[in-house]
Amino acid sequence: MGVGDVSKRILLGRKLRSAQLGETLLPKRIALPVFASDALSSVAYAPDEIFIMLAIAGASQYIWSWKIGIAVAIVMTAVIMSYRQTVHAYPSGGGDYEVATVNLGRTAGITVASALLVDYVLTVAVSISSGANYASAAIPAFQDHEALIAVILVLVLMAMNLRGIRESGTFFAIPTYLFMFAILGMCAYGLLQALGGSLPQAESAGLDITPRPGWEEPLSTFGLIVLLARAFSSGCAALTGVEAISNGVPAFKRPKSKNAATTLLLLGLIAVTMMISVIVLAKQIGLRYVDPHELSRLTMNGAPVPAGYDQHAVIAQIAEAVFHNFSPGFYFVVTVTGIILVLAANTAFNGFPVLGSILAKDGLAPRALGARGDRLAYSNGIVFLALMAIILIVAFDAETTKLIQLYIVGVFVSFNLSQLGMIRHWTRALETERDSAVRRKIYRSRTINAIGLSFTAVVLVVVLLTKFLAGAWITVLAMGFFFAVMKGIKGHYDNVERELAADETDKALPTRVHAIVLVSKLHKPTLRALAFAKATRPNSLEGVYVSVDEKETARLLEEWDDRNTGIPLKVLHSPYREVVKPIVEYATAIRRANPRGVVAVYIPEYVVGRWWEQFLHNQTALRLKGRLLFTPGVMVTSVPYQLRSSGIALEREEREEHRVRPGDLRRGRVAQDRDRQVPRS
Amino acid sequence: MGVGDVSKRILLGRKLRSAQLGETLLPKRIALPVFASDALSSVAYAPDEIFIMLAIAGASQYIWSWKIGIAVAIVMTAVIMSYRQTVHAYPSGGGDYEVATVNLGRTAGITVASALLVDYVLTVAVSISSGANYASAAIPAFQDHEALIAVILVLVLMAMNLRGIRESGTFFAIPTYLFMFAILGMCAYGLLQALGGSLPQAESAGLDITPRPGWEEPLSTFGLIVLLARAFSSGCAALTGVEAISNGVPAFKRPKSKNAATTLLLLGLIAVTMMISVIVLAKQIGLRYVDPHELSRLTMNGAPVPAGYDQHAVIAQIAEAVFHNFSPGFYFVVTVTGIILVLAANTAFNGFPVLGSILAKDGLAPRALGARGDRLAYSNGIVFLALMAIILIVAFDAETTKLIQLYIVGVFVSFNLSQLGMIRHWTRALETERDSAVRRKIYRSRTINAIGLSFTAVVLVVVLLTKFLAGAWITVLAMGFFFAVMKGIKGHYDNVERELAADETDKALPTRVHAIVLVSKLHKPTLRALAFAKATRPNSLEGVYVSVDEKETARLLEEWDDRNTGIPLKVLHSPYREVVKPIVEYATAIRRANPRGVVAVYIPEYVVGRWWEQFLHNQTALRLKGRLLFTPGVMVTSVPYQLRSSGIALEREEREEHRVRPGDLRRGRVAQDRDRQVPRS
């Protein structure tokens, strides 16, 4: 059964007054920036975390920095290779959630979903906090107000997403490519200077770092292992966001999976290059970087740094050194870094509704999230995300270092379950596959995913061990909460489904239709409702009027007789001006007298357009409808009468329908041009 | 046409599970306290205002205090006599608003209505502020926090009224009679002491009052007139609230008008006695009382009173003096005065919805306010009233003296229009009345109202002259605002009525009914909707399914064929998961193909009970219904399917319906006993 001829005609044959939703697939050069901002932006804070952790035992441990960078790069490579398998095996864009659900079952799927939900909140909190720190590096007046700036940024993002941004590839492409150019250019220029021996020193190069108590040299072997494990697990923040492409395969140009896999490889390459370059360069310029809460451990010639000392982010310090005699270079790097961080936060605002709609489809979230264009559902999700991020930002005073402790757990929980799911996927594929060439390919994929799993499993254990008490417990708790909520919703939907399941005894057809038309006045809406009700030829039809005033009643009865509609009018007396109750009771009584019949209640409604007009009309009709829904054997029919002003609301509705919603671009949907004339078929 | 036999059976023949609304008429002894608290409570602040105004020219002007009291008493007597005419002529409880509208036209009616609306806000602000001052007289810790206490009291009143208080006559009777007993008892005891020469002096008796600059003795004749005019207009605050009974005639026991008139007379007698007694006694104890902002004008032996001096309200000072060796007497008087003031504020919370429903009936306020039991409308009104009062209290720092400047204008505007209306009423009555005995009575009534008008007109002019710049302009502005809003609403309703007015060409009966049943799944609700739709025997009937997923669609089609319902299923494809748009477009297309037909859209709905279940169901149905209302020639039928949990909501609804709402008692309605078994007919 295809699209009906009638509906086809309207779909094609009318002038589009407003933008129409269509599919626009992304070429690789656009897809890369659309999906990469989150992953690439982590270079703005991940190296900082490695240096902070190593600094616990003093600046001498910075010799480990590039080795840890390499270790993180190896894990990232393994993860990227694994996800390349995923995009081939699951091109539908369900990502980790789909992989886990299909291969490991509902519980694993819900676990991944709750990890992802928590991650979206943390992506906003971490990226925006880091962005606020870059802003304060560029604009001294912002110093010590990072939390306030971060909150304002979140509110601006929220407002933009509520309002709806006309997203386009360019919107993502320009800042992302500028960021790549800025970071890679800076690193190249810096490394060239280093080779020429002319690389300037960082502003913090002259400082010494006092180790934390208990971490003085010489470190025990165990101490060193703990130190490196902590630095490594913090550095793994660089991996956040790489899974984005696996959720966006449907938005790629064909061949979708192949293009997505290539883009993923490209992303990995760029991310690893950036990270290693930044770490090496930071070491070269003699950077000294400690936990911003422990600035007193920074000393200059044995004395602590002055109280006003402000420690700038690693990339800001590199830019300052590399471009020490060319300040536009510094401002350019810091500005695009700030922008890319905000863009990364925006991806969470985009991804959240997409995940919501997938969860809704599976009955884990309110069903309304599943259909496109539910304004309320979208808005609630966006406000929820922003509020949670603001709470975190305020609670942790916009300190990236502290928020990072919460961040990585969720990411690696979903990495692990996803890799495990992929291994199961390939093992199952082997059960049926007989072609030896294909089997070889499957073995290869399974090996890649197994390597990915072993790496991510190790990282998850390290992260849990080193970060649980430092904040990861909050994440675990939040995941538990989301898990319980989704389980609860699923349970509710399942119960309802069982209660609603059709059975064979449920076919009894009502024998009689008793129609009543609510009459408040004898005006066009009432006459229309009477006409419509009459057209349905019910077994019995009467008007029903609730009388609260004798004079008015008499006048109405007279008018009714004059009209001579041939329909009897029933008057229900209501001395206390109650309108709803007499009607409900009357309908109930009719039904009781005819248990095999059905009562059809027709309610004339005016449709108005301006928002304040809503308060002036239909309130009683609304309450009545709400109340009649509880009455068995009753159906309620709204007969609308469109007032002239209703055109205003209709136009508003249509504008709303065609608006691009957060995440549409990532699903390969964009609004097409306005006022485009589509040829009539 | 009476109550239908079917509806009569349900009204009488079932066990009442919850309280049922009924009529309970008030005997005079209960009606007096129910309606009098507002009028009587003004004795708690009106005398204070007289003393403050006279003090402008120094304590020597206190010789005028009792004469001004007498003048106020004369005006009050005239007003009370006038209202006795009103309750006879207009026993329906419309009060000033009805009198002005019927006799002077719509504009006068709206003017009175806006005056009354402003007065309700000010009743709350003034009574509660005064109450907070009494609280701080009794509890020293409250001193200087009057505004905060007043705001908290308003919020408590708001919460109580939102929640719904089980009002009863006793609720009003006990505090009101205690208040009468306290004030009259105190005055009698004090005057006895005075006669015996043993009356103690007030705490402020030893003080001197420096006149305001320019008001030093000797006063010019013009100066004296201005002084007395100001004192008199402030003293007229004692008249606020006397109109309450004229709004409550329907709640009285029969003969309603006669009982109401008697109660009114009683109220006037008590109020006048109280006021004069308090003024005389205050003079006797040597009270010195100035504007609380000008405490520096109070001097003791030539030096200003110390900075911490707290000036207690007149009744508090009298109680302190009269009961100087019996402190329980003092606390009793002050406590019941505070309570009666809060009770007076509560009458505004009661009267506001009553006025709202009368205005709604006339199309001056949203119609929803007119029907009993519109929870939302009631709540909005109560919250609005509380917020406005809080704004005033905060803006004027809970200072009764300043708020009084705003208060009296509105009261006297409605007094004037009401008296003018009554004169017109009697004049008209004379035109038709031939019986000379009745004519004599009418002449007498008209004379009384004319006297009332002349007094209230003079007071209004005095009030406007003396108070306009001191704050009355705010009231005039607010009245203008309410006036404009009501005019606007009326205009809107009139426009809609014209647009909706039935004409003769509007009778064309649709010839065909094309029914479509929305199918999302094949479960009981869908089957019921199909059965109901089938029972209406439309000209054509089909199921409509929006396909967003091919697999699901195939499964549904298979199930549909298995069921063999005999109804065709139309599948609308929606690649972007839009549900609403394809259906709206399909309905539009059907209608376009059959301009003389009507499209009946049947939507299966589940009815759930718990509040959070609402979010999980029917959201799409709701949006769809909202959208289809804009489509001409379409009617929308909700076919409800009650889930087991819906019982919870039904019970909640029923509880809600039977709750007593603010103002019910004043309209003669109370909830009758729960679980009362009504005999089956």
Side-chain angles (χ1 to χ4, degrees):
Chain A
M1 209 173 285
V3 178
D5 50 323
V6 185
S7 51
K8 197 180 264 167
R9 205 181 47 186
I10 0 160
L11 275 172
L12 301 176
R14 71 173 178 129
K15 195 188 167 198
L16 299 177
R17 280 180 41 209
S18 182
Q20 194 79 309
L21 206 67
E23 196 178 47
T24 297
L25 297 176
L26 306 173
K28 289 194 288 289
R29 65 173 193 286
I30 299 294
L32 178 66
V34 165
F35 292 106
S37 62
D38 185 8
L40 292 184
S41 70
S42 27
V43 79
Y45 46 81
D48 309 40
E49 299 306 314
I50 295 177
F51 285 108
I52 285 173
M53 287 303 156
L54 290 176
I56 288 175
S60 58
Q61 303 300 337
Y62 278 4
I63 48 165
W64 294 101
S65 60
W66 66 271
K67 289 169 196 160
I68 288 182
I70 297 288
V72 172
I74 290 172
V75 175
M76 190 188 276
T77 310
V79 169
I80 295 244
M81 296 311 288
S82 296
Y83 272 105
R84 277 167 54 86
Q85 312 310 313
T86 306
V87 298
H88 279 294
Y90 291 90
S92 58
D96 295 342
Y97 167 72
E98 187 183 348
V99 172
T101 306
V102 171
N103 296 296
L104 306 173
R106 177 66 65 200
T107 303
I110 299 182
T111 310
V112 169
S114 45
L116 289 175
L117 287 174
V118 173
D119 267 355
Y120 279 126
V121 176
L122 281 161
T123 299
V124 177
V126 168
S127 303
I128 292 288
S129 294
S130 179
N133 285 320
Y134 278 93
S136 86
I139 305 169
F142 285 1
Q143 273 172 28
D144 300 324
H145 303 290
E146 283 88 352
L148 179 67
I149 294 163
V151 168
I152 292 172
L153 280 174
V154 174
L155 290 175
V156 169
L157 271 185
M158 180 185 87
M160 278 169 59
N161 278 284
L162 284 178
R163 181 72 196 76
I165 328 165
R166 183 69 175 267
E167 287 178 352
S168 63
T170 330
F171 177 85
F172 290 94
I174 293 176
T176 308
Y177 281 120
L178 280 180
F179 176 69
M180 291 181 198
F181 170 75
I183 299 296
L184 293 175
M186 175 184 79
C187 291
Y189 182 52
L191 292 174
L192 276 178
Q193 283 178 303
L195 288 179
S198 64
L199 183 67
Q201 290 291 288
E203 54 185 25
S204 60
L207 305 175
D208 285 318
I209 300 176
T210 321
R212 272 196 205 158
W215 290 91
E216 296 88 357
E217 309 228 13
L219 282 177
S220 64
T221 313
F222 178 71
L224 183 63
I225 289 173
V226 171
L227 184 75
L228 297 182
R230 291 179 69 170
F232 169 73
S233 67
S234 283
C236 283
L239 272 75
T240 55
V242 298
E243 77 288 355
I245 289 181
S246 72
N247 296 111
V249 190
F252 278 80
K253 274 220 162 131
R254 269 165 260 273
K256 292 177 187 246
S257 292
K258 192 166 166 292
N259 281 332
T262 310
T263 310
L264 197 48
L265 194 63
L266 222 67
L267 166 66
L269 217 68
I270 298 168
V272 166
T273 312
M274 279 185 176
M275 186 187 58
I276 300 286
S277 309
V278 165
I279 291 174
V280 168
L281 206 52
K283 181 81 179 62
Q284 288 292 323
I285 59 170
L287 172 109
R288 296 292 181 269
Y289 205 74
V290 297
D291 188 325
H293 258 273
E294 299 174 346
L295 287 182
S296 60
R297 280 174 42 225
L298 281 180
T299 55
M300 186 182 274
N301 307 325
V305 290
Y309 179 78
D310 197 62
Q311 177 176 269
H312 293 139
V314 170
I315 286 181
Q317 292 204 31
I318 295 178
E320 229 236 318
V322 169
F323 299 116
H324 75 291
N325 44 17
F326 179 61
S327 68
F330 166 77
Y331 283 107
F332 176 69
V333 170
V334 170
T335 306
V336 293
T337 307
I339 291 173
I340 204 83
L341 283 164
V342 174
L343 211 58
N346 192 53
T347 61
F349 280 98
N350 283 340
F352 203 66
V354 179
L355 177 62
S357 73
I358 292 171
L359 295 177
K361 226 178 118 184
D362 287 359
L364 297 174
R367 287 256 166 77
L369 289 166
R372 189 187 178 276
D374 191 284
R375 228 177 308 168
L376 215 63
Y378 268 78
S379 310
N380 286 341
I382 288 166
V383 171
F384 175 79
L385 180 60
L387 280 188
M388 298 301 291
I390 286 176
I391 289 172
L392 284 178
I393 287 171
V394 171
F396 291 96
D397 201 25
E399 284 180 25
T400 320
T401 309
K402 284 187 176 169
L403 288 166
I404 287 280
Q405 314 302 319
L406 281 67
Y407 195 11
I408 316 171
V409 186
V411 181
F412 276 87
V413 165
S414 55
F415 280 170
N416 271 286
L417 288 170
S418 166
Q419 305 313 332
L420 194 64
M422 285 307 293
I423 294 172
R424 174 80 69 91
H425 168 82
W426 298 126
T427 308
R428 278 188 188 159
L430 282 175
E431 285 169 13
T432 53
E433 188 57 59
R434 288 292 157 257
D435 181 340
S436 69
V438 178
R439 286 181 71 87
R440 257 198 311 281
K441 259 183 95 176
I442 294 178
Y443 275 120
R444 206 182 120 255
S445 295
R446 190 168 67 167
T447 311
I448 292 174
N449 282 124
I451 295 171
L453 174 65
S454 53
F455 276 113
T456 53
V458 170
V459 176
L460 181 60
V461 171
V462 172
V463 166
L464 279 176
L465 285 178
T466 57
K467 298 194 179 305
F468 192 81
L469 291 178
W473 62 270
I474 300 172
T475 312
V476 174
L477 218 68
M479 282 173 55
F481 171 74
F482 284 121
F483 187 92
V485 168
M486 285 188 273
K487 271 275 189 199
I489 291 177
K490 177 76 184 156
H492 171 77
Y493 277 131
D494 287 347
N495 283 340
V496 168
E497 199 175 326
R498 265 192 298 281
E499 196 176 337
L500 297 184
D503 45 40
E504 292 311 309
T505 61
D506 220 50
K507 271 181 147 176
L509 202 65
T511 49
R512 278 177 61 85
V513 178
H514 188 113
I516 60 181
V517 178
L518 298 189
V519 176
S520 60
K521 276 185 181 163
L522 249 184
H523 50 22
K524 283 180 183 168
T526 305
L527 291 176
R528 175 175 292 182
L530 286 168
F532 279 20
K534 212 170 176 179
T536 66
R537 288 181 295 276
N539 302 79
S540 76
L541 171 63
E542 59 184 347
V544 167
Y545 175 71
V546 178
S547 157
V548 293
D549 181 301
E550 277 178 35
K551 258 184 264 173
E552 265 176 53
T553 310
R555 198 163 50 225
L556 182 85
L557 284 173
E558 206 171 300
E559 262 188 274
W560 188 271
D561 286 341
D562 288 350
R563 282 256 149 203
N564 197 10
T565 52
I567 301 168
L569 181 66
K570 170 74 125 200
V571 176
L572 303 176
H573 285 274
S574 173
Y576 302 112
R577 302 187 67 78
E578 289 177 303
V579 177
V580 173
K581 220 171 103 185
I583 295 171
V584 171
E585 286 178 345
Y586 185 59
T588 311
I590 294 172
R591 161 75 173 180
R592 198 167 299 158
N594 283 288
R596 296 265 299 141
V598 52
V599 183
V601 181
Y602 288 84
I603 305 180
E605 269 181 54
Y606 332 137
V607 184
V608 289
R610 299 183 193 87
W611 63 267
W612 53 267
E613 292 178 337
Q614 310 287 342
F615 300 106
L616 301 178
H617 299 283
N618 296 327
Q619 299 295 330
T620 307
L622 258 174
R623 279 201 303 134
L624 183 60
K625 280 199 281 185
R627 195 59 186 66
L628 281 172
L629 289 181
F630 293 105
T631 318
V634 168
M635 57 183 178
V636 186
T637 302
S638 302
V639 182
Y641 185 93
Q642 290 83 18
L643 283 166
R644 275 189 290 272
S645 76
S646 70
I648 299 167
L650 188 60
E651 269 170 35
R652 194 173 52 222
E653 282 288 323
E654 282 179 350
R655 257 198 326 272
E656 201 52 49
E657 255 167 31
H658 296 300
R659 213 161 72 184
V660 176
R661 286 182 206 287
D664 275 353
L665 189 70
R666 312 191 130 209
R667 285 183 275 194
R669 294 171 206 170
V670 292
Q672 272 146 27
D673 288 338
R674 284 186 144 253
D675 294 313
R676 196 168 50 116
Q677 182 80 47
V678 177
R680 286 179 181 275
S681 57
Chain B
M1 210 172 286
V3 179
D5 49 323
V6 184
S7 49
K8 199 180 262 165
R9 205 180 47 187
I10 0 160
L11 273 171
L12 300 176
R14 69 169 179 134
K15 194 187 169 200
L16 297 178
R17 282 182 36 210
S18 182
Q20 193 81 306
L21 206 66
E23 198 178 45
T24 297
L25 297 176
L26 306 174
K28 288 194 287 291
R29 67 173 190 285
I30 298 294
L32 178 67
V34 165
F35 292 104
S37 61
D38 185 8
L40 292 185
S41 70
S42 26
V43 79
Y45 46 80
D48 309 41
E49 299 306 315
I50 296 176
F51 285 109
I52 285 174
M53 287 301 154
L54 291 176
I56 288 175
S60 59
Q61 304 299 335
Y62 280 3
I63 48 163
W64 293 100
S65 59
W66 67 270
K67 291 169 194 160
I68 289 186
I70 297 287
V72 171
I74 290 171
V75 176
M76 191 187 275
T77 311
V79 169
I80 296 246
M81 295 312 288
S82 297
Y83 273 107
R84 278 168 53 88
Q85 312 310 314
T86 306
V87 299
H88 279 294
Y90 291 89
S92 57
D96 295 343
Y97 168 72
E98 188 182 348
V99 173
T101 306
V102 170
N103 296 297
L104 306 173
R106 176 68 63 202
T107 303
I110 299 182
T111 309
V112 169
S114 45
L116 289 175
L117 286 174
V118 173
D119 268 354
Y120 280 127
V121 175
L122 281 161
T123 300
V124 177
V126 168
S127 304
I128 292 289
S129 294
S130 180
N133 285 319
Y134 278 92
S136 86
I139 306 168
F142 284 2
Q143 271 171 29
D144 301 325
H145 304 291
E146 284 88 353
L148 179 67
I149 293 162
V151 169
I152 292 171
L153 279 174
V154 174
L155 290 175
V156 169
L157 271 185
M158 180 185 88
M160 278 169 59
N161 278 284
L162 283 178
R163 182 71 197 77
I165 329 164
R166 183 70 175 265
E167 287 176 353
S168 64
T170 330
F171 176 86
F172 290 94
I174 293 176
T176 308
Y177 282 119
L178 279 180
F179 176 69
M180 292 181 198
F181 170 76
I183 300 296
L184 294 176
M186 173 183 80
C187 291
Y189 182 52
L191 293 173
L192 277 179
Q193 284 179 302
L195 289 177
S198 66
L199 183 67
Q201 290 290 287
E203 54 185 27
S204 59
L207 304 175
D208 285 318
I209 300 177
T210 320
R212 272 198 205 156
W215 290 91
E216 294 87 359
E217 310 228 11
L219 280 178
S220 65
T221 314
F222 177 72
L224 183 63
I225 289 173
V226 171
L227 184 77
L228 296 183
R230 290 179 70 170
F232 170 71
S233 67
S234 283
C236 283
L239 271 77
T240 56
V242 297
E243 77 287 357
I245 288 180
S246 72
N247 297 112
V249 188
F252 279 80
K253 274 220 163 131
R254 270 165 260 272
K256 294 180 185 243
S257 292
K258 191 166 167 296
N259 282 331
T262 311
T263 310
L264 197 47
L265 194 63
L266 221 68
L267 166 66
L269 217 67
I270 297 168
V272 166
T273 312
M274 279 186 176
M275 186 186 57
I276 301 285
S277 310
V278 166
I279 291 175
V280 168
L281 205 51
K283 182 80 180 59
Q284 289 292 324
I285 59 170
L287 173 107
R288 296 292 180 267
Y289 204 75
V290 297
D291 187 324
H293 259 273
E294 300 173 345
L295 288 182
S296 60
R297 281 173 41 223
L298 282 180
T299 55
M300 184 179 277
N301 307 325
V305 289
Y309 179 78
D310 198 61
Q311 176 177 268
H312 292 141
V314 171
I315 287 181
Q317 292 203 31
I318 296 177
E320 231 237 316
V322 169
F323 299 116
H324 75 292
N325 45 15
F326 178 62
S327 68
F330 166 78
Y331 283 108
F332 176 67
V333 170
V334 170
T335 305
V336 293
T337 307
I339 290 173
I340 204 81
L341 283 163
V342 174
L343 210 58
N346 193 52
T347 62
F349 280 98
N350 284 341
F352 203 66
V354 179
L355 178 62
S357 75
I358 292 171
L359 295 177
K361 223 177 122 188
D362 286 0
L364 297 174
R367 287 255 166 75
L369 289 167
R372 190 189 178 275
D374 191 283
R375 225 177 309 168
L376 215 63
Y378 269 79
S379 310
N380 286 339
I382 288 167
V383 171
F384 175 80
L385 180 60
L387 279 188
M388 298 301 291
I390 286 175
I391 289 172
L392 284 178
I393 287 171
V394 171
F396 292 95
D397 201 26
E399 285 181 25
T400 319
T401 308
K402 285 186 176 172
L403 288 165
I404 288 279
Q405 314 302 318
L406 282 66
Y407 195 12
I408 316 171
V409 186
V411 181
F412 276 86
V413 165
S414 55
F415 280 170
N416 270 285
L417 287 171
S418 166
Q419 305 313 333
L420 194 63
M422 285 307 294
I423 294 173
R424 175 79 68 91
H425 169 82
W426 298 126
T427 308
R428 279 189 188 155
L430 283 175
E431 285 168 14
T432 52
E433 188 57 59
R434 290 289 157 258
D435 182 341
S436 69
V438 178
R439 285 182 71 90
R440 258 199 310 281
K441 258 183 93 175
I442 294 179
Y443 275 120
R444 205 184 121 257
S445 295
R446 192 169 66 168
T447 311
I448 292 174
N449 282 122
I451 296 170
L453 175 65
S454 53
F455 276 115
T456 53
V458 169
V459 176
L460 180 60
V461 171
V462 171
V463 166
L464 277 176
L465 285 178
T466 56
K467 298 198 180 300
F468 192 80
L469 291 177
W473 63 271
I474 299 173
T475 312
V476 174
L477 219 68
M479 280 174 56
F481 171 75
F482 284 122
F483 187 91
V485 168
M486 283 187 274
K487 270 275 189 197
I489 291 176
K490 178 75 184 155
H492 171 78
Y493 278 131
D494 286 348
N495 283 340
V496 169
E497 198 175 327
R498 265 193 298 280
E499 198 177 335
L500 296 184
D503 45 39
E504 292 310 310
T505 62
D506 220 52
K507 272 181 145 175
L509 202 65
T511 49
R512 279 176 61 86
V513 178
H514 188 114
I516 61 180
V517 178
L518 298 190
V519 176
S520 61
K521 275 185 182 164
L522 249 185
H523 49 24
K524 284 179 183 167
T526 305
L527 291 176
R528 174 176 292 183
L530 286 168
F532 279 20
K534 213 171 176 177
T536 67
R537 288 180 295 277
N539 301 80
S540 77
L541 171 62
E542 58 184 347
V544 167
Y545 175 70
V546 178
S547 156
V548 292
D549 181 302
E550 278 179 32
K551 258 184 265 174
E552 266 177 51
T553 309
R555 197 164 50 227
L556 181 85
L557 284 172
E558 206 171 300
E559 262 188 274
W560 189 270
D561 287 342
D562 288 351
R563 280 257 151 202
N564 199 11
T565 52
I567 301 168
L569 181 66
K570 170 73 126 200
V571 176
L572 302 176
H573 285 276
S574 174
Y576 302 111
R577 302 188 67 78
E578 289 177 303
V579 178
V580 173
K581 221 172 102 185
I583 294 170
V584 171
E585 287 177 346
Y586 186 59
T588 311
I590 294 172
R591 161 74 173 177
R592 199 167 299 158
N594 284 288
R596 295 265 298 140
V598 53
V599 183
V601 181
Y602 289 84
I603 305 181
E605 268 182 56
Y606 333 137
V607 184
V608 289
R610 300 182 193 89
W611 64 269
W612 53 266
E613 292 178 337
Q614 309 287 343
F615 300 106
L616 301 179
H617 298 283
N618 297 328
Q619 299 296 330
T620 307
L622 256 176
R623 278 201 306 134
L624 183 60
K625 279 199 281 185
R627 194 60 184 68
L628 282 171
L629 289 181
F630 292 105
T631 318
V634 168
M635 56 185 181
V636 187
T637 303
S638 303
V639 182
Y641 185 92
Q642 290 84 16
L643 284 164
R644 276 189 289 272
S645 76
S646 70
I648 300 168
L650 188 59
E651 269 171 34
R652 194 173 51 220
E653 281 288 323
E654 282 179 350
R655 256 197 327 271
E656 200 52 48
E657 255 166 31
H658 297 299
R659 215 159 73 183
V660 176
R661 285 182 205 287
D664 276 353
L665 189 69
R666 313 192 128 207
R667 286 183 277 195
R669 297 171 202 168
V670 292
Q672 271 145 27
D673 287 339
R674 284 185 145 254
D675 294 313
R676 195 168 51 116
Q677 181 84 43
V678 176
R680 287 183 179 272
S681 58

